[in-house]
Amino acid sequence: MGSSFTDFLGVTAPDLLPGRRPIPQLPMGDIPHGTTIVSVTYDGGVLMGGDRRATMGNLISSRDIEKVYPADSYSVIGIAGAAGIAIEMVRLYQVELEHYEKIEGLTLSLDGKANRLAAMIRGNLGAAMQGLAVVPLFAGFDLDAAPGTSPGRIFSYDITGGNYEERGYAAVGSGSLFAKNSLKKTWRNGLPADAAVRTVVESLYDAADDDSATGGPDPVRRLYPIVYRVDGEGAVRLTDAEVAAVADGIVTDRAQADRENMNREA
């Protein structure tokens, strides 16, 4: 059946594909949605981070959802939109890349991975038009990058499967506007890895400060953003302790700045 597991599933069991299931004709109630995902390139690779909150209308449906996943050894995917369909799409996409590698005996190129994901999103268009949209962010380390070019690359999408390569940084989800404004001020070309991690976490902190659907650092529950680093050694999830140290540092710096501002006003 070829190297595409999605095509194989479409022939043998099309009802298992997220976009092939019957869509209710009546208006649906609130369902869990995930937000916000950010990604930045740095000197040597790319980072992707996501907050931990999922919302259902005006309610918080989950405080510790995971929205960033490894797609394969050298790429990651972050999800925004209808949480259930998004997670199912990620799992199918992981199998798609693994299936290709087993059948062809080689790894799909980064552009090929991005295009495969675009086709899967396009297959969900009917559900998206009913309010069940999935809008992921994809990033990876390009093993075929030309000398002198950045190996870290980022791809964003729209609900029709449109595929757009981003330069330097990107964000999706309800808090993306605020996250991008933060990234615009803190990101620069050639950032070292440690500085890039702070840039990612700080942009999520800024998004949470203005967007109620984005969850900020939660030291009481020990919930912090999920951050993945992808470089020549593969995709690695930063430990909770590493992310917590960065987030706690940002909170301390912001608190100190606020105290200084209040003292001047007094």
Side-chain angles (χ1 to χ4, degrees):
M1 295 300 294
S3 59
S4 173
F5 182 78
T6 304
D7 290 347
F8 169 75
L9 206 58
V11 172
T12 59
D15 56 304
L16 296 180
L17 291 173
R20 297 284 189 90
R21 292 175 185 154
I23 304 298
Q25 298 303 310
L26 296 176
M28 298 183 63
D30 291 329
I31 61 172
H33 278 71
T35 60
T36 298
I37 307 297
V38 301
S39 185
V40 303
T41 59
Y42 70 94
D43 184 20
V46 64
L47 290 163
M48 183 176 289
D51 77 303
R52 306 295 296 274
R53 178 174 293 177
T55 58
M56 192 166 58
N58 65 327
L59 301 176
I60 297 175
S61 62
S62 176
R63 300 180 188 276
D64 60 353
I65 188 174
E66 296 194 9
K67 293 183 264 185
V68 182
Y69 302 86
D72 66 358
S73 298
Y74 291 96
S75 61
V76 289
I77 180 172
I79 55 172
I85 295 178
I87 293 172
E88 189 174 16
M89 185 178 292
V90 166
R91 291 171 179 165
L92 179 60
Y93 184 58
Q94 291 169 329
V95 175
E96 173 82 4
L97 298 185
E98 184 179 356
H99 180 78
Y100 179 91
E101 189 170 343
K102 287 180 177 179
I103 296 298
E104 298 294 335
L106 50 84
T107 302
L108 193 63
S109 70
L110 194 62
D111 286 302
K113 295 174 190 178
N115 290 333
R116 289 286 176 106
L117 182 56
M120 293 180 65
I121 298 169
R122 196 173 303 118
N124 191 57
L125 182 58
M129 299 303 291
Q130 295 292 323
L132 301 177
V134 176
V135 185
L137 196 60
F138 178 71
F141 183 89
D142 191 349
L143 296 169
D144 302 318
T149 62
S150 174
R153 299 172 64 190
I154 305 169
F155 299 86
S156 64
Y157 301 85
D158 59 35
I159 62 170
T160 67
N163 176 3
Y164 315 98
E165 182 166 2
E166 304 287 348
R167 301 298 180 184
Y169 59 87
V172 296
S174 67
S176 60
L177 174 62
F178 309 110
K180 280 185 178 180
N181 285 338
S182 177
L183 292 170
K184 187 182 299 183
K185 296 178 176 67
T186 56
W187 180 88
R188 68 178 186 278
N189 191 35
L191 274 177
D194 290 345
V197 171
R198 181 181 173 98
T199 295
V200 166
V201 177
E202 190 165 12
S203 68
L204 291 170
Y205 182 96
D206 288 335
D209 202 33
D210 288 297
D211 174 43
S212 62
T214 304
D218 190 341
V220 174
R221 298 180 178 87
R222 303 302 295 171
L223 294 174
Y224 295 92
I226 293 175
V227 180
Y228 271 86
R229 180 183 66 247
V230 191
D231 56 21
E233 297 181 357
V236 177
R237 176 173 170 171
L238 273 62
T239 66
D240 289 342
E242 290 175 312
V243 179
V246 176
D248 291 345
I250 292 170
V251 171
T252 299
D253 292 346
R254 295 291 179 90
Q256 177 62 30
D258 284 346
R259 284 194 295 269
E260 292 175 356
N261 289 335
M262 291 175 65
N263 290 335
R264 280 200 297 269
E265 291 175 1

